[in-house]
Amino acid sequence: MESLLGALMGDFLGTPVYFWVAFITIVIALLVFDLGVLHKDEHEIGAKESLLLYGFYVCIALAFGGWVWWQRGAEAGLEFYTGYLLEQSLAMDNMFVIATIFGFLAIPRIYQHRVLFWGILGVILFRAVLIGLGAAMVNQYSWILFGFGAFLVFTGIRMFSHKDEERNLDENKVYQFITKRFRVTKELHGRNFTVKQPDPKTGKIVTWLTPLAVALIMVEVVDLVFAVDSVPAVFAVTQDTFIVYTSNIFAILGLRSLYFALAAAMNRFRYLQVSLAIILVLVGIKIFLVPLHIHIDTLLSLVVTLSILAGGIIFSLWKTRNEPDISALDDPKTGQLEP
């Protein structure tokens, strides 16, 4: 018993082990509750259910941040909340791209939660790798923060200048790679990601990917692409690996539950990308200042990020107030995807 307590009180990446154990336990419990209770029977998730589930995840994240604040102090708590909000802001664009993928592949709403759920497992793993690598580079080479900052500023400017571009998913490199290298069925086979069918050339029974599997692969790749922006951005708030990782995962968990409400009216958030571009530029400048020992107050960063995000949402909803809601399944071209 003493050895177990000693291990829990030990240190891992600058944080007591019991913090990591608590976080992992909460995430596992949420995933089990989500799949085993809320979505034991597959059904179409409406906007109301999506918003309620999102509110539940937000409450869990706020409570976890409060625990971090209580255990590690106000600065750590503010860093968690700022990182959480920042990741939620930047990952919103990701949700619209995912909706576009579902629309392009004609994935019915009843199966979309299945793709998003299994996609979360990839997010948990890949974000851990990316954040671990980022933390190692920052600790070893502090000047890498200059590179992170410059990259974020460049990405923000590029996002602003390309805000009206539309992409054809037929020309997407990931989609082309999958369809050229793997056997892919043209039709869905229920909730299955793979199916056994005869090869048209040899007649032998082989494994085929279904459009559901293609959607899952593309969603995972999209998350990796967006993580290249969002992970360095959180390092502008803190270099604490625990706070960076936990704020990322809680934000993604919440947004995936909000997806169904966002996707039902994609056209109503037309101007949100401008807000995200501004946030990226400001975060890039902030992270650029870190190696110069110029500190911008964490609470100020939180307020500015929240104000810009809220402003973009409110302005978008006001400008499109007379337009009907259009989902990705109704119009797959309402979103964007980098080729």
Side-chain angles (χ1 to χ4, degrees):
M1 188 65 179
E2 290 183 2
S3 60
L4 177 59
L5 290 175
L8 290 175
M9 295 303 295
D11 184 88
F12 179 69
L13 297 178
T15 301
V17 173
Y18 74 88
F19 274 84
W20 292 100
V21 173
F23 167 70
I24 293 171
T25 302
I26 292 171
V27 171
I28 292 175
L30 287 173
L31 293 177
V32 171
F33 177 69
D34 190 311
L35 187 64
V37 179
L38 295 180
H39 301 100
K40 185 177 182 180
D41 300 318
E42 285 180 325
H43 61 279
E44 291 189 13
I45 299 175
K48 182 179 179 181
E49 181 181 349
S50 177
L51 290 171
L52 288 173
L53 190 57
Y54 174 69
F56 168 74
Y57 275 109
V58 169
C59 289
I60 296 295
L62 292 177
F64 186 84
W67 180 63
V68 171
W69 189 312
W70 177 53
Q71 291 286 322
R72 301 183 59 180
E75 185 65 22
L78 282 173
E79 287 175 351
F80 174 85
Y81 288 132
T82 305
Y84 174 76
L85 178 62
L86 186 59
E87 175 60 31
Q88 284 235 340
S89 303
L90 299 179
M92 272 194 171
D93 210 30
N94 191 358
M95 295 299 100
F96 298 135
V97 175
I98 290 174
T100 306
I101 292 172
F102 285 154
F104 173 72
L105 295 172
I107 306 298
R109 290 182 178 89
I110 193 172
Y111 298 131
Q112 290 178 7
H113 178 268
R114 178 171 169 79
V115 174
L116 294 176
F117 176 85
W118 291 109
I120 281 289
L121 301 182
V123 169
I124 292 172
L125 174 62
F126 295 138
R127 290 293 174 107
V129 173
L130 286 174
I131 291 171
L133 290 173
M137 288 190 294
V138 170
N139 290 331
Q140 190 71 25
Y141 311 104
S142 60
W143 53 263
I144 199 72
L145 291 173
F146 288 123
F148 284 172
F151 174 73
L152 292 177
V153 171
F154 169 78
T155 304
I157 294 173
R158 187 176 184 276
M159 181 185 291
F160 183 82
S161 61
H162 290 74
K163 64 181 186 300
D164 295 323
E165 284 191 0
E166 290 186 353
R167 304 288 181 177
N168 186 350
L169 292 192
D170 280 315
E171 301 174 357
N172 177 261
K173 293 179 181 178
V174 176
Y175 177 74
Q176 290 180 344
F177 177 85
I178 296 171
T179 53
K180 288 180 180 178
R181 300 294 193 281
F182 301 94
R183 302 180 185 90
V184 180
T185 63
K186 293 183 179 180
E187 65 285 336
L188 288 166
H189 289 264
R191 65 199 299 270
N192 297 320
F193 289 112
T194 61
V195 64
K196 296 286 188 179
Q197 286 188 344
D199 186 298
K201 295 181 180 179
T202 64
K204 297 175 65 175
I205 301 298
V206 294
T207 301
W208 292 67
L209 298 180
T210 68
L212 213 62
V214 177
L216 178 60
I217 295 170
M218 294 186 71
V219 165
E220 293 288 9
V221 173
V222 163
D223 181 77
L224 279 175
V225 171
F226 277 86
V228 174
D229 295 339
S230 62
V231 170
V234 182
F235 278 107
V237 177
T238 178
Q239 285 79 60
D240 187 317
T241 308
F242 177 78
I243 293 178
V244 172
Y245 184 60
T246 55
S247 62
N248 255 253
I249 299 304
F250 274 118
I252 295 299
L253 284 171
L255 272 182
R256 290 289 168 95
S257 62
L258 183 63
Y259 161 80
F260 295 94
L262 291 175
M266 290 180 61
N267 62 307
R268 297 295 306 279
F269 298 93
R270 186 176 306 149
Y271 302 95
L272 181 61
Q273 195 171 15
V274 176
S275 293
L276 303 184
I278 294 172
I279 290 173
L280 270 179
V281 171
L282 293 178
V283 170
I285 295 172
K286 185 177 187 296
I287 200 172
F288 196 85
L289 297 175
V290 172
L292 302 177
H293 305 290
I294 300 175
H295 177 70
I296 297 177
D297 185 70
T298 305
L299 180 59
L300 177 62
S301 299
L302 178 61
V303 171
V304 169
T305 302
L306 181 60
S307 299
I308 295 174
L309 177 62
I313 294 174
I314 293 171
F315 182 74
S316 294
L317 294 176
W318 179 74
K319 287 286 288 186
T320 60
R321 62 191 182 279
N322 296 322
E323 297 182 13
D325 294 345
I326 301 176
S327 73
L329 286 178
D330 298 325
D331 183 6
K333 293 183 179 181
T334 53
Q336 300 176 0
L337 182 66
E338 295 293 340

